[in-house]
Amino acid sequence: MQFERYNPAYRGLKDLGWLKSNFIFSFSSHYNPVRAGFGLLRVFNDDYVQPENGFGIHPHANMEIISVMLSGSMNHIDSLGYKEVVHKDWVQIMSAGSGLRHEEHNVGQDEVNFLQIWIEPKLQNITPRYQRRFFPEEKRLNQLVTIVSNEEGQAHCWINQNAKLSLGSFEQGQPLTYSFNPLNKGVFVFNISGTLQVNGQTLNQRDAVGIWETDKLDFSFSTDSKFLLIEVPINH
């Protein structure tokens, strides 16, 4: 087994007042030559947006862009014609493909916190698409729920890549083993809250680790914990 820790102390920070971002990998003005991503996972930002603020209209192409809403309410408007609001426990994905434009703003009374994730696509220049799904926390208790998958279905969002994202909310002492095909695959674990152990690595709140050259992850939970797991190709 190989692993790399992503300690919060070594992250890029951006504070614009209305926006506070924590960059695990190189992004925007933050550049770290040894942290360009974990395989095809290129961006992982922990973002906080103040009320009545947000991201103006801007373009994307050939990137899978996922937002995992942890708190608050944020609108979504794009050049595909979608105009809606997503709340806590919603997940949205844009397959930017040949190109689209979008904007996002905090439309609630409270701070928005969401995880912004970019994964390189499998196919280039596909027709752009947008999708969202709701994953209530009570239905994730003591189980790992797939939120994004390369297999199309009604229960999760679809991604243009051989990747899978899962959310878990586990009580202290509950067991969990996650098995996967290790061929050109690694797993990135981001601990949202609580304290957990995965393959001997302790993750406190907002800690992260990338693990590869294994086909199984064994979790234990020192406290009630919530976390995001990303299974992703580690090479092109």
Side-chain angles (χ1 to χ4, degrees):
M1 182 192 83
Q2 300 291 322
F3 68 90
E4 183 169 1
R5 294 293 301 267
Y6 300 98
N7 190 295
Y10 298 98
R11 291 179 190 164
L13 303 176
K14 188 174 187 176
D15 188 347
L16 300 178
W18 66 269
L19 170 67
K20 294 181 180 179
S21 295
N22 299 273
F23 307 139
I24 290 183
F25 307 119
S26 294
F27 188 80
S28 184
S29 58
H30 171 65
Y31 175 67
N32 185 334
V34 299
R35 289 200 171 169
F38 178 72
L40 299 190
L41 171 62
R42 293 305 187 185
V43 171
F44 195 106
N45 299 345
D46 189 4
D47 288 342
Y48 297 81
V49 182
Q50 296 304 305
E52 301 181 3
N53 288 277
F55 307 90
I57 191 78
H58 59 282
H60 292 288
N62 289 317
M63 190 64 71
E64 302 295 296
I65 301 172
I66 302 152
S67 298
V68 179
M69 291 288 294
L70 300 182
S71 64
S73 299
M74 188 163 65
N75 79 335
H76 170 89
I77 301 174
D78 64 37
S79 55
L80 302 178
Y82 290 96
K83 185 177 182 180
E84 54 193 17
V85 176
V86 291
H87 309 279
K88 178 181 180 293
D89 294 339
W90 283 88
V91 173
Q92 61 180 11
I93 183 169
M94 294 184 296
S95 289
S98 58
L100 57 73
R101 293 175 297 124
H102 78 113
E103 62 178 85
E104 320 276 337
H105 286 84
N106 182 344
V107 295
Q109 301 296 314
D110 302 313
E111 180 181 67
V112 160
N113 178 210
F114 74 103
L115 303 177
Q116 180 182 175
I117 299 156
W118 294 15
I119 295 176
E120 290 189 28
K122 184 176 182 180
L123 301 175
Q124 298 286 306
N125 297 317
I126 66 169
T127 300
R129 62 190 300 277
Y130 169 81
Q131 194 177 35
R132 67 169 186 164
R133 292 282 188 270
F134 179 48
F135 300 93
E137 186 175 333
E138 60 269 20
K139 293 188 177 181
R140 292 186 269 117
L141 184 61
N142 295 325
Q143 59 180 318
L144 200 55
V145 174
T146 300
I147 59 173
V148 176
S149 172
N150 66 326
E151 298 179 358
E152 295 193 54
Q154 295 299 312
H156 53 257
C157 297
W158 176 82
I159 188 172
N160 171 29
Q161 184 50 267
N162 185 22
K164 183 166 72 171
L165 285 74
S166 305
L167 275 174
S169 181
F170 281 77
E171 295 175 309
Q172 180 180 358
Q174 289 291 321
L176 172 66
T177 296
Y178 181 83
S179 299
F180 64 101
N181 184 346
L183 183 62
N184 192 34
K185 280 289 192 71
V187 174
F188 180 88
V189 179
F190 179 80
N191 191 28
I192 298 168
S193 65
T195 301
L196 62 82
Q197 293 76 37
V198 53
N199 285 26
Q201 299 298 307
T202 296
L203 302 185
N204 296 310
Q205 181 169 308
R206 259 52 185 190
D207 277 349
V209 64
I211 298 175
W212 67 102
E213 293 186 8
T214 184
D215 61 357
K216 185 175 69 171
L217 302 183
D218 290 312
F219 288 83
S220 60
F221 303 95
S222 300
T223 68
D224 293 354
S225 301
K226 302 173 188 176
F227 67 97
L228 174 67
L229 183 152
I230 303 177
E231 182 184 324
V232 65
I234 52 176
N235 295 300
H236 288 277

